Amino acid sequence: GRKDGVEMLDISADGFWNSFFAIVVALPPLLLSWVAFTSTYLPDSGAGAARLPALLLLAFVDLSGWVVPLILFAAAAKPAGISDRFATYVVATNWGSAVTSWIAIPPALIRLLVPGSEKLSANIGLIVFLVTLALFWRLTNVALDKGPLIATAVFAAMATLSITIMVTLQSYFGLVPA
């Protein structure tokens, strides 16, 4: 949420495209969460290589929830009058997403390593989710630099869009926990 931190980001054209490397940085904790999810909620997906299709679908769902909202934001930024902050927002949220994916490791580890810990893991996951939302609102506010009202509108739209995409795709692919 500090302006000087966002000003240190490379928002050039190369910096914009390089910020998508954040997806690679986020892959280890994301993979851990996918393995934990399939182990807990999709036990019929098998083990080892048999679990690969479910893992690939989870990867598609999560990455769609990351990238598709940014594509739609690109289309909406100019009419919304925030196109001058588009690159800054994308670079900041890409790297922010990489950081928050690492913050979300504890619930996945608990779910994977402690049998019968779904409730504990879910509670810790909820706390991590709420903290992540607060951090992302702060990041959105400082990246857009348009005031809290605009930041709240963009944050709410992007969070809702991302969650809607992921829930819809999870349901479509049958990845909904029983």
Side-chain angles (χ1 to χ4, degrees):
R2 293 181 52 191
K3 197 175 201 172
D4 54 333
V6 171
E7 290 171 358
M8 292 173 34
L9 295 172
D10 179 4
I11 58 165
S12 68
D14 284 342
F16 174 85
W17 292 111
N18 289 340
S19 75
F20 287 93
F21 183 73
I23 293 170
V24 175
V25 171
L27 280 178
L30 289 174
L31 181 59
L32 175 67
S33 72
W34 302 331
V35 169
F37 182 90
T38 58
S39 297
T40 304
Y41 299 114
L42 303 174
D44 296 340
S45 64
R51 191 172 292 170
L52 185 61
L55 293 175
L56 291 175
L57 287 174
L58 286 168
F60 178 75
V61 167
D62 275 0
L63 297 179
S64 295
W66 183 328
V67 175
V68 172
L70 294 176
I71 293 168
L72 297 174
F73 182 68
K78 188 169 185 166
I82 51 178
S83 60
D84 60 321
R85 302 299 292 177
F86 171 74
T88 304
Y89 175 79
V90 171
V91 171
T93 58
N94 276 343
W95 290 114
S97 294
V99 170
T100 57
S101 70
W102 285 90
I103 292 171
I105 287 176
L109 274 178
I110 291 169
R111 190 178 322 127
L112 196 59
L113 300 176
V114 181
S117 64
E118 291 81 16
K119 187 169 183 151
L120 173 64
S121 175
N123 288 333
I124 294 171
L126 177 61
I127 292 167
V128 168
F129 178 69
L130 294 174
V131 167
T132 300
L133 287 177
L135 292 173
F136 261 92
W137 180 87
R138 289 179 52 140
L139 184 64
T140 300
N141 188 38
V142 75
L144 291 178
D145 196 26
K146 301 286 185 181
L149 186 63
I150 299 295
T152 300
V154 170
F155 168 78
M158 295 297 281
T160 300
L161 187 56
S162 180
I163 292 167
T164 300
I165 288 168
M166 292 191 312
V167 168
T168 301
L169 289 174
Q170 283 176 346
S171 178
Y172 179 78
F173 292 124
L175 298 171
V176 179

